[in-house]
Amino acid sequence: MLIELKDVSYTYGKDTVYEVNALNHINLGIDEGEFIGIIGHTGSGKSTLIQHLNGLIKPTSGQILFDGSDIWEDGYNLRELRTHVGLVFQYPENQLFETDVITDVMFGPKNKGLSKDQCEERAKEALKQVGIPENFYKVSPFDLSGGQKRRVAMAGVLAMDPQVLILDEPTAGLDPAGRDEILGQIKYLHDKRGITIILVSHSMEDVAVYAKRLLVINDGRIAFDGSPKQVFTHYRELEQMGLAAPQVTYIMHRLHEKGLTVDLTATTVEEARRSILLALSMKKSGGTEEGGGSPWVK
Amino acid sequence: MGEVTLGQYYPTNSILHKLDPRVKFVGTLTYIISLFLIRGVAGWIFVTAVLAGLMFLSRVPFPYLIKSMRPILFILVITVIFNLLLTPGTIVWKFWIFQITKEGIRVAIQMALRLSYLVMGSSLMTLTTTPNALTDAMERLFAFLKVVKVPVHEISMMMSIALRFIPILMEEADKIKKAQMARGADFESGSFIRRMKAMIPLLVPLFVSAFRRANDLAMAMEARCYHGGDNRTQMKPLRYKGRDYVAYLLMAVMLTASILFRIFGKSAI
Ligand SMILES: Nc1ncnc2c1ncn2[C@@H]1O[C@H](COP(=O)(O)OP(=O)(O)OP(=O)(O)O)[C@@H](O)[C@H]1O
Ligand SMILES: [Mg+2]
């Protein structure tokens, strides 16, 4: 097990009037090579949870193990941990500060103590992976568009060559094309470079497509932990938490109620399409009913 | 960073919290004046009773009230030492060039009491009043200065905006700091120069975001046709209630009592 949380709780503003219990007794194990999606409504504790994973927040109680050793033990090198567990914050574009794009991306590797050439190499590779072309390298990061800034900021974390990449709502405020592109790049990093991915998102559709395992956080607790399909079967409970299953889940349930034997666990549009077509053709060949040509069958 | 609570407002539902901020502002001034008027043991017992009573009424836990003393502790100690050693008069104790006099002891005690009572009393005001309520109160209380062309409303607007922005910027600074730490930045170790240099990745984004916010706010105010003080009404106008008049009455009593203590008090302390 790569990262392990044992009974972790966290309270903001401990011992003041403004105490907020952000996390309550979280137990969680993360294996190498996983692609985990984290969902939960606003203020449920997602950002707090992920900041525990690279030692930016010290838990009020409980233990966090990385590769088997307690990261809050005396003498543990937290800065090194942070190069293994890369964290891209919500709206990471706000952390850019250098005079040009490539120098900004080199900040991480430089802190790692690499030579200038190595830093530059890493930075270029990272920028390529997030799809920033070479002619932008010498541009000021403040002159980029919002989407480009975000990619540069992601590259800044990637350049440290982390084993685990945590992204806090990387697609917030992007247009659909930009969103798909960024998610595609994340998937590429997972599939091709074997990076463990933890993706915080508000979009059920996105996590359904990309994540293999889904964590639902509610009120600082893990409400569900399983594959997206398993989790979405609890769509009624999800609704009570202010969340919702992907739209497709609802359509499939409605169709099922109307008597069409479709696959209820379909979560993506593609899966749904196939399942509906199959169900319709079965129905047809069964010859129970002859409609005037269903709009689904073309 | 969570330690810093600006204005240190402590929310409870006490009578002091409910008082009009103008009353509390004037009350604090009256209290400070009284502190410097009184003389004699009886006088000190009187202000101690007043302060203790107010502390009790505020329902703010005692540790919070004491915490406000921490920043002035150093000044307090220095003042006491200087007064103790440098006041001329009847010598009680002498060693080498140091001497302590009867008068010195008296002045030192008096100064220590005054300073600590002053800080505790005024922090009682900031603990029970939000910074915004205070600026509101000051705007109203100093409204008469408009006659001599002092832009009272504008000043108070600037103050409330500044107060509003401080916690936001602190939160932002915290966020950026964490983001840079996630990229391996090191803010804690190294020489002074190194640490100053390490602040650049924190300060640049912070300034950028502060300017952006200021710009957005200016734009939003413009879009709502904001134009200064004249003829503006307030969302929650300050209005005196019965208890506020009672408080003013009590203040008058306190002031009179202090004057009497001044006149008749034995200057033992
Ligand atoms: N710096 C802070 N100080 C005090 N309380 C905080 C702080 N950051 C978060 N909180 C509180 O902790 C709780 C969890 O916040 P968190 O940011 O982890 O939520 P989130 O799930 O990431 O929400 P969102 O989807 O809006 O990003 C919230 O109630 C929030 O108000
Ligand atoms: Mg968040």
Side-chain angles (χ1 to χ4, degrees):
Chain A
M1 195 142 294
L2 192 59
I3 305 177
E4 205 174 348
L5 273 70
K6 285 188 182 164
D7 201 32
V8 168
S9 298
Y10 186 75
T11 309
Y12 281 105
K14 185 92 185 135
D15 298 324
T16 68
V17 242
Y18 305 100
E19 270 190 17
V20 180
N21 263 326
L23 292 180
N24 294 304
H25 307 286
I26 300 269
N27 284 295
L28 177 66
I30 296 166
D31 278 317
E32 201 151 4
E34 282 201 272
F35 195 131
I36 301 180
I38 299 184
I39 51 175
H41 71 87
T42 290
S44 55
K46 305 181 293 293
S47 300
T48 312
L49 174 67
I50 56 172
Q51 287 174 53
H52 279 86
L53 303 181
N54 71 343
L56 282 175
I57 295 183
K58 186 175 179 178
T60 318
S61 68
Q63 259 189 332
I64 296 160
L65 309 179
F66 180 78
D67 247 347
S69 37
D70 186 341
I71 68 168
W72 288 106
E73 210 149 70
D74 279 341
Y76 191 92
N77 191 344
L78 281 173
R79 282 183 66 201
E80 199 193 311
L81 168 72
R82 289 178 194 138
T83 65
H84 296 311
V85 184
L87 172 56
V88 181
F89 270 81
Q90 222 160 344
Y91 298 104
E93 50 272 28
N94 295 341
Q95 75 200 32
L96 301 173
F97 70 97
E98 276 290 2
T99 44
D100 59 51
V101 165
I102 189 132
T103 325
D104 201 287
V105 177
M106 280 161 64
F107 182 65
K110 210 170 73 197
N111 287 328
K112 221 174 155 175
L114 298 182
S115 76
K116 195 161 183 290
D117 288 343
Q118 278 174 311
C119 288
E120 204 166 312
E121 201 177 306
R122 286 276 187 87
K124 281 183 179 158
E125 198 189 322
L127 282 167
K128 208 175 286 159
Q129 269 164 1
V130 297
I132 294 283
E134 213 157 310
N135 53 326
F136 281 105
Y137 288 3
K138 289 290 167 196
V139 173
S140 159
F142 299 103
D143 291 340
L144 300 176
S145 79
Q148 289 167 332
K149 275 186 197 164
R150 182 152 319 166
R151 275 182 227 185
V152 171
M154 273 173 60
V157 174
L158 263 185
M160 295 194 305
D161 198 17
Q163 258 174 288
V164 182
L165 184 62
I166 310 171
L167 301 115
D168 198 350
E169 295 190 38
T171 57
L174 293 186
D175 60 40
R179 198 188 65 199
D180 288 346
E181 213 171 321
I182 284 204
L183 288 171
Q185 276 146 2
I186 295 169
K187 187 173 160 51
Y188 171 84
L189 291 170
H190 174 257
D191 295 349
K192 292 282 154 16
R193 282 185 51 188
I195 299 181
T196 309
I197 303 280
I198 300 171
L199 174 69
V200 175
S201 175
H202 270 138
S203 160
M204 295 295 159
E205 273 77 12
D206 290 351
V207 286
V209 174
Y210 293 99
K212 305 277 186 319
R213 176 177 170 199
L214 192 53
L215 296 177
V216 181
I217 312 280
N218 189 39
D219 263 347
R221 291 191 175 79
I222 295 181
F224 296 109
D225 179 354
S227 72
K229 284 190 199 308
Q230 284 167 347
V231 170
F232 292 141
T233 56
H234 301 280
Y235 69 105
R236 299 247 180 256
E237 284 112 305
L238 288 176
E239 273 171 21
Q240 274 163 13
M241 295 171 192
L243 299 168
Q247 307 252 319
V248 168
T249 308
Y250 290 91
I251 296 176
M252 298 310 254
H253 275 89
R254 286 293 283 277
L255 286 174
H256 195 77
E257 276 167 31
K258 299 268 182 218
L260 199 64
T261 46
V262 289
D263 175 15
L264 283 177
T265 63
T267 43
T268 65
V269 176
E270 187 48 40
E271 277 174 352
R273 195 179 79 100
R274 254 183 280 132
S275 163
I276 292 171
L277 285 177
L278 190 71
L280 282 173
S281 65
M282 268 169 48
K283 204 169 185 179
K284 238 184 198 162
S285 60
T288 39
E289 182 195 344
E290 195 49 64
S294 159
W296 295 101
V297 192
K298 284 260 165 75
Chain B
M1 203 159 276
E3 259 296 285
V4 192
T5 42
L6 189 95
Q8 49 175 270
Y9 181 66
Y10 187 98
T12 72
N13 215 4
S14 78
I15 177 93
L16 283 195
H17 285 75
K18 285 188 212 143
L19 279 181
D20 190 291
R22 285 170 291 178
V23 174
K24 284 185 266 188
F25 189 78
V26 175
T28 310
L29 286 183
T30 325
Y31 166 81
I32 292 170
I33 294 169
S34 306
L35 263 187
F36 285 90
L37 279 178
I38 51 156
R39 229 183 335 195
V41 179
W44 280 105
I45 292 175
F46 171 71
V47 277
T48 310
V50 169
L51 185 61
L54 289 173
M55 281 178 170
F56 176 75
L57 281 180
S58 75
R59 289 207 249 141
V60 176
F62 195 63
Y64 279 86
L65 295 161
I66 294 302
K67 239 200 246 167
S68 59
M69 298 286 296
R70 212 185 296 157
I72 65 139
L73 209 60
F74 179 71
I75 300 173
L76 195 67
V77 171
I78 296 285
T79 321
V80 167
I81 291 174
F82 271 69
N83 277 306
L84 213 51
L85 296 179
L86 300 177
T87 317
T90 339
I91 294 169
V92 204
W93 183 82
K94 198 171 164 153
F95 173 76
W96 191 33
I97 53 162
F98 299 113
Q99 57 177 34
I100 292 179
T101 63
K102 220 169 151 187
E103 287 77 4
I105 297 175
R106 194 173 59 84
V107 178
I109 293 177
Q110 212 170 25
M111 285 311 278
L113 278 177
R114 276 212 175 115
L115 257 175
S116 40
Y117 277 29
L118 190 123
V119 172
M120 275 196 264
S122 29
S123 59
L124 202 54
M125 172 176 78
T126 48
L127 279 165
T128 59
T129 321
T130 60
N132 271 328
L134 262 185
T135 13
D136 254 13
M138 286 204 259
E139 178 178 353
R140 289 286 291 272
L141 286 170
F142 294 116
F144 67 91
L145 286 176
K146 275 185 202 152
V147 183
V148 286
K149 296 252 167 10
V150 177
V152 179
H153 171 78
E154 281 74 8
I155 292 175
S156 112
M157 190 66 174
M158 271 152 58
M159 273 171 66
S160 11
I161 290 174
L163 285 171
R164 177 78 194 82
F165 267 66
I166 287 168
I168 294 179
L169 286 180
M170 304 236 315
E171 205 173 289
E172 187 101 7
D174 190 43
K175 233 186 252 165
I176 296 168
K177 189 176 164 192
K178 278 183 179 164
Q180 305 299 21
M181 276 164 75
R183 292 210 272 166
D186 182 7
F187 293 105
E188 270 107 35
S189 60
S191 65
F192 180 71
I193 307 260
R194 254 191 75 131
R195 257 185 290 175
M196 284 291 115
K197 261 188 156 160
M199 294 302 274
I200 295 174
L202 173 60
L203 290 179
V204 173
L206 191 61
F207 273 110
V208 170
S209 114
F211 280 116
R212 199 190 53 229
R213 276 176 199 284
N215 215 356
D216 289 352
L217 181 69
M219 200 70 98
M221 286 167 83
E222 194 84 24
R224 286 165 179 74
C225 305
Y226 173 83
H227 68 100
D230 292 338
N231 303 324
R232 278 181 70 81
T233 53
Q234 277 179 308
M235 184 145 121
K236 291 184 205 149
L238 295 173
R239 254 189 220 111
Y240 286 129
K241 301 217 175 62
R243 54 172 174 254
D244 298 313
Y245 294 113
V246 176
Y248 274 129
L249 195 70
L250 291 176
M251 273 177 233
V253 172
M254 177 169 73
L255 201 59
T256 322
S258 313
I259 293 169
L260 292 180
F261 281 121
R262 175 93 196 172
I263 299 169
F264 298 108
K266 292 270 180 303
S267 55
I269 295 182

